[in-house]
Amino acid sequence: MQSIEDSEMLDVPTSSNKLSLLTTNDNLQLPKKISNGLPQEPLSHIKKPLGISRNNSRDTSVLAKEAHQLSLGSPLGSSSSSEDHAHTEPLPYYTKKTGLCYDARMRFHTELSPPKDRSDYHPEDPRRILHIYRELCEAGLVADNNMAIPPVTPNPVYRILARAAKKTEVCLVHDDAHFEFIKSTSSMSDEELGRREKTFDSIYFHRQTYSAALLSAGAAIETCLAVATGQVKNAIAVIRPPGHHAECDTSRGFCHFDNVSIATQVVRQTYPEQYRKVLIIDWDVHHGNGIQQAFESDPNVLYISIHVHENGNFYPAGPYGDLYHCGVGAGIGKNINIPWPNKGMGDADYLFAFQHVIMPVAFDFNPDLVIIAAGFDAAVGDQLGGCFVTPACYSHMTHMLMSLADGKLVVCLEGGYNLRSISKSALAVTKTLMGEPPERIAETAATRIGVETVRKVVLQQSRYWRCLYPKGEIMMPGSERMHDVIRAYQSKVLHDNHKMINIWIFRERVSRSFEYQVLATKNYSSAVPLLVIFHDPPEVTGVPNAITNQLDLHHTWLADVSKSYIEWAVSHGFGVMDINVPKFLTGISDEEGDPDDEALKLSEAINELAIYLYDNYIESMQRIPQNEALEQITGVIGFVAENPIRPVTETFITDFAKWYYKRSLLFVNHSHPVWERDKKISKKFGLLRRSHTDGLNGMLRAHKPEVEDFLAKRAGLRVERLAERDEDTIMVAGA
């Protein structure tokens, strides 16, 4: 028997696969057969929509008799005669199948010189669609005479025949010059194709690229038409090359023609009354810049993309995929980007986005047709995507979307480059389309990054969608940041209670960010010992209004635990220098920047500030000899709730790691990743103590007695040993 790998057969369904299907409109007509020069006949050769079979009609007199029996409270058939039974027929049932479109000829688009080692194959590998198709066949969902495994379901998928898209269809999205260029590649030499590849963004060409790209677009069209006309209830198109990166005038990111956009336009043009509004969900790990470009000004196409963005550093790069691109002109609000700030997102993050953004907006939009641009490169195991979405999650997302548009749902393959991952994911989606319930999800709690991203999207899109809350501006004109307001309040309280004064910073780079953020007792230059505290701004807790997002000040509380440390230190004769570290540094921070980059910039700014304070206010005023500077720091205390713990580095100081370990005490949240290390924690991280309290404020309260003991013992030992000296510094930091 010929194997599917070697087969170039046309996927033609047998007559036994044809069904009597239901349709809601007898006037719906599939487009006539399109002559395209390819030997395979498209699904649209059926010129008349299928209707209810006359053999399934029921005798209305029997229905009337059954209704009469029900009204009398008697069970059906309890008093009926044998003659009645002879006239009773089974109730009609839903007979529409799930459609599948696959054509082996799309595999002919390959690299000009494929590498001998399979591990070096281009990610957009022709085997992608083969592995998916074979997975569906081996699961018993496809009736294919060339496969050794027969279907295990009595209702296998209905085979939809692919065809080449026409130029007029492709040019509904792409310009004429782009179409003609892709067409010209079919007659180029290998040398010319190789030279052309280098002028494009992540593209390879072959003389079969044009025909494969036409087949891919045509398959998407036929699949959408099959669902639109009631030929099948829903469908999946296993197609390549992918399309969502292809723009109006160019190929990009493995894509030549924008398959989903072309199919959307053909359906809307063919049936303008029945399919006026289309929803496109793009869950490929990369932003679909091509689809967004095609419909960003169209009020009747809602495009929602959930993708890794990395502040514009992830392909296709740039700000186009950020959450602020919401559409243009009449299409404002009809473009929704859910941009993950980094890789590593999982099931719970995707489901959280679906539950709080995608599904509410989709129900509000109320589409006539739903199309999924289904890239599976966010799946577990895909190295390009780097995320952890399981087949079960893809099933759940599909299941939710099936509740829209009377179930008219089309899944079109986009990316996905781990052959096993895309096969298992596509299988899970197909099973769900056929009616199998999704498997259980193990991960149900979204990550903090996921929740924060979705909340930002909600706040941005709530101005366009009545179903999204809370609403309201994040920053109103003339408003001030609360950390500045709170620091002004802290300055007054600390001055009134402890006569603390503002320390001026005469360095341009840090002065703007830390103005009024450094306070000290008047005896900081002479007190024994000196306590230096670096801490985050106090926490403000409250419940914002669910509609307006405004905080009711009467029910809002300021949690400032650091002041209790200051009170204790002052009462025990310490000099105190209090440094409040704002989370946003004026002129340095970027609110939409990469979290890792922002954390690094904040760390560098704190280091620069610490060096400045030591050089100008501690060392010089307390007259500490430079060769004794390190000995004057008797202890370092830290609280770490979420931020990464960084080891100290050996610089010009010998045995600095040992020094730090002996003088440090770091309380670390019990759920911090540092405790998940298999090997022993290095002394370079300091002496770590696992805290069983959540949150920075909770840790500061819970461990205050331990900190006080540490401070008292260290200060006492130092004062005894250096009775003739009057300088001693203890550092405390919270992060």
Side-chain angles (χ1 to χ4, degrees):
M1 179 177 292
Q2 188 180 18
S3 67
I4 189 66
E5 288 90 344
D6 299 326
S7 173
E8 297 178 14
M9 62 165 289
L10 301 182
D11 301 318
V12 183
T14 62
S15 59
S16 61
N17 282 339
K18 295 182 179 178
L19 300 170
S20 294
L21 305 179
L22 301 173
T23 181
T24 57
N25 190 338
D26 289 338
N27 293 322
L28 288 179
Q29 297 287 330
L30 284 162
K32 296 181 180 180
K33 175 182 175 181
I34 299 174
S35 176
N36 48 56
L38 294 173
Q40 184 174 0
E41 188 176 18
L43 182 73
S44 55
H45 71 281
I46 303 174
K47 294 185 171 58
K48 186 174 183 180
L50 301 176
I52 301 176
S53 172
R54 294 184 178 180
N55 295 331
N56 286 336
S57 61
R58 301 194 62 197
D59 187 343
T60 55
S61 63
V62 175
L63 290 173
K65 185 176 293 185
E66 291 173 353
H68 177 67
Q69 290 172 350
L70 286 173
S71 66
L72 295 176
S74 60
L76 285 177
S78 60
S79 60
S80 60
S81 64
S82 58
E83 183 179 353
D84 294 331
H85 282 291
H87 289 284
T88 303
E89 297 179 4
L91 288 170
Y93 61 93
Y94 196 73
T95 58
K96 288 185 182 179
K97 288 187 176 184
T98 292
L100 167 67
C101 189
Y102 166 79
D103 193 306
R105 291 172 296 172
M106 286 182 276
R107 291 160 47 199
F108 297 165
H109 164 62
T110 65
E111 295 177 87
L112 285 172
S113 301
K116 296 180 180 180
D117 187 349
R118 288 192 172 189
S119 63
D120 294 332
Y121 281 5
H122 192 280
E124 211 290 279
D125 188 332
R127 295 175 296 166
R128 295 170 61 242
I129 59 173
L130 169 63
H131 277 249
I132 292 175
Y133 180 73
R134 187 165 56 189
E135 186 77 22
L136 300 181
C137 292
E138 291 177 352
L141 307 183
V142 182
D144 189 322
N145 295 330
N146 290 280
M147 296 297 292
I149 302 175
V152 297
T153 172
N155 292 303
V157 293
Y158 185 89
R159 297 300 300 278
I160 300 170
L161 305 184
R163 65 165 173 86
K166 296 191 299 183
K167 179 179 178 179
T168 54
E169 294 171 329
V170 173
C171 289
L172 292 172
V173 174
H174 298 281
D175 61 26
D176 186 80
H178 176 60
F179 180 89
E180 292 299 327
F181 169 75
I182 300 299
K183 181 179 180 180
S184 69
T185 61
S186 60
S187 58
M188 290 182 183
S189 65
D190 288 356
E191 291 75 14
E192 177 67 8
L193 290 171
R195 187 179 65 80
R196 292 282 188 167
E197 284 179 5
K198 297 177 181 178
T199 65
F200 283 82
D201 177 12
S202 301
I203 285 294
Y204 67 79
F205 290 114
H206 189 277
R207 277 183 290 278
Q208 295 296 326
T209 295
Y210 172 62
S211 60
L214 286 181
L215 270 177
S216 187
I221 293 171
E222 286 295 310
T223 305
C224 289
L225 289 174
V227 173
T229 57
Q231 186 72 23
V232 291
K233 61 180 180 180
N234 51 44
I236 179 170
V238 182
I239 56 178
R240 68 171 293 272
H244 72 152
H245 292 312
E247 297 182 349
C248 169
D249 56 355
T250 189
S251 299
R252 286 191 68 185
F254 313 159
C255 306
H256 298 286
F257 294 144
D258 187 353
N259 306 318
V260 167
S261 297
I262 294 169
T264 299
Q265 293 292 55
V266 170
V267 171
R268 295 173 69 210
Q269 188 180 77
T270 307
Y271 304 112
E273 297 299 323
Q274 295 92 335
Y275 296 99
R276 188 172 62 89
K277 296 192 296 182
V278 177
L279 167 63
I280 301 174
I281 302 292
D282 189 341
W283 67 41
D284 190 289
V285 79
H286 303 93
H287 175 241
N289 54 289
I291 302 178
Q292 178 169 312
Q293 183 193 66
F295 298 113
E296 61 184 350
S297 61
D298 193 325
N300 292 318
V301 176
L302 171 59
Y303 175 63
I304 305 178
S305 177
I306 179 169
H307 55 270
V308 172
H309 189 242
E310 291 186 342
N311 194 35
N313 294 315
F314 196 71
Y315 195 87
Y320 200 48
D322 66 25
L323 61 90
Y324 301 107
H325 281 77
C326 304
V328 176
I332 191 71
K334 298 305 190 298
N335 192 93
I336 300 177
N337 287 324
I338 304 174
W340 301 132
N342 50 249
K343 298 179 181 180
M345 312 308 287
D347 290 356
D349 299 306
Y350 275 75
L351 293 179
F352 189 82
F354 260 73
Q355 293 161 350
H356 289 82
V357 177
I358 295 175
M359 293 311 296
V361 167
F363 279 117
D364 201 357
F365 183 64
N366 193 22
D368 303 309
L369 177 68
V370 179
I371 304 175
I372 303 175
F376 293 114
D377 40 7
V380 174
D382 193 295
Q383 294 182 344
L384 281 183
C387 291
F388 303 101
V389 180
T390 66
C393 181
Y394 284 119
S395 292
H396 279 274
M397 293 190 291
T398 303
H399 192 259
M400 284 187 271
L401 295 172
M402 288 170 65
S403 64
L404 304 166
D406 298 322
K408 299 185 192 66
L409 176 64
V410 178
V411 180
C412 291
L413 181 65
E414 290 287 351
Y417 309 104
N418 180 298
L419 300 181
R420 177 174 174 80
S421 297
I422 60 174
S423 301
K424 296 299 181 183
S425 300
L427 174 62
V429 167
T430 306
K431 285 183 175 180
T432 303
L433 292 174
M434 296 178 73
E436 185 171 312
E439 295 182 1
R440 295 183 179 184
I441 293 287
E443 178 190 354
T444 57
T447 63
R448 178 173 180 175
I449 291 176
V451 173
E452 289 176 347
T453 302
V454 170
R455 179 163 177 79
K456 289 179 181 178
V457 173
V458 169
L459 289 172
Q460 178 68 20
Q461 292 288 340
S462 63
R463 66 192 71 182
Y464 310 118
W465 296 96
R466 58 186 178 183
C467 60
L468 295 182
Y469 297 98
K471 301 182 183 295
E473 296 291 335
I474 300 297
M475 184 177 68
M476 299 179 182
S479 58
E480 297 182 31
R481 290 189 181 275
M482 278 303 296
H483 74 72
D484 293 329
V485 176
I486 291 172
R487 191 55 177 172
Y489 159 78
Q490 284 181 309
S491 299
K492 183 178 186 308
V493 171
L494 292 175
H495 179 269
D496 292 345
N497 295 342
H498 308 297
K499 306 305 179 184
M500 295 182 72
I501 58 175
N502 182 52
I503 298 294
W504 294 100
I505 302 171
F506 299 98
R507 183 170 295 179
E508 184 176 353
R509 174 175 168 77
V510 293
S511 61
R512 291 180 60 202
S513 300
F514 292 100
E515 187 176 4
Y516 302 112
Q517 305 298 331
V518 183
L519 305 175
T521 54
K522 290 184 178 180
N523 64 342
Y524 76 90
S525 61
S526 59
V528 180
L530 175 65
L531 176 65
V532 181
I533 305 174
F534 287 82
H535 62 86
D536 290 343
E539 293 182 0
V540 176
T541 59
V543 180
N545 185 287
I547 306 299
T548 65
N549 200 40
Q550 295 178 350
L551 284 169
D552 181 356
L553 295 182
H554 181 68
H555 296 291
T556 303
W557 291 268
L558 176 68
D560 186 8
V561 184
S562 64
K563 69 180 181 181
S564 66
Y565 284 78
I566 296 174
E567 291 170 358
W568 180 90
V570 171
S571 68
H572 285 76
F574 284 68
V576 177
M577 185 175 289
D578 179 74
I579 300 101
N580 181 73
V581 181
K583 294 185 177 180
F584 184 87
L585 302 180
T586 305
I588 297 176
S589 298
D590 179 3
E591 288 185 280
E592 302 305 320
D594 179 82
D596 292 335
D597 292 341
E598 296 309 305
L600 180 61
K601 287 192 288 188
L602 179 61
S603 177
E604 291 173 349
I606 295 172
N607 288 339
E608 187 170 350
L609 175 66
I611 293 171
Y612 176 85
L613 292 174
Y614 189 83
D615 289 344
N616 294 275
Y617 288 99
I618 298 177
E619 183 182 47
S620 61
M621 295 202 175
Q622 294 209 357
R623 302 178 305 281
I624 301 174
Q626 190 171 9
N627 61 344
E628 296 183 18
L630 198 61
E631 287 300 316
Q632 307 312 310
I633 301 177
T634 61
V636 179
I637 304 172
F639 292 84
V640 182
E642 297 175 355
N643 292 340
I645 302 174
R646 294 183 175 85
V648 297
T649 56
E650 299 282 357
T651 54
F652 58 90
I653 302 173
T654 306
D655 295 329
F656 184 55
K658 291 182 180 180
W659 175 92
Y660 179 63
Y661 183 78
K662 290 179 180 179
R663 288 167 172 77
S664 63
L665 177 61
L666 275 72
F667 297 96
V668 183
N669 193 322
H670 65 92
S671 60
H672 195 280
V674 73
W675 303 118
E676 299 175 4
R677 290 169 171 258
D678 295 330
K679 57 183 180 180
K680 185 178 179 180
I681 299 174
S682 171
K683 290 184 178 181
K684 292 181 179 181
F685 289 96
L687 178 59
L688 305 187
R689 189 75 57 82
R690 190 165 191 168
S691 174
H692 295 283
T693 306
D694 289 320
L696 187 57
N697 274 331
M699 293 167 62
L700 286 167
R701 291 191 189 94
H703 300 290
K704 187 170 181 286
E706 296 173 70
V707 173
E708 291 173 355
D709 289 343
F710 181 91
L711 292 174
K713 290 178 181 178
R714 293 279 171 161
L717 287 172
R718 291 296 295 168
V719 170
E720 261 183 43
R721 203 171 72 179
L722 299 175
E724 296 181 359
R725 293 198 59 81
D726 61 351
E727 55 274 330
D728 191 9
T729 305
I730 297 177
M731 311 286 287
V732 178

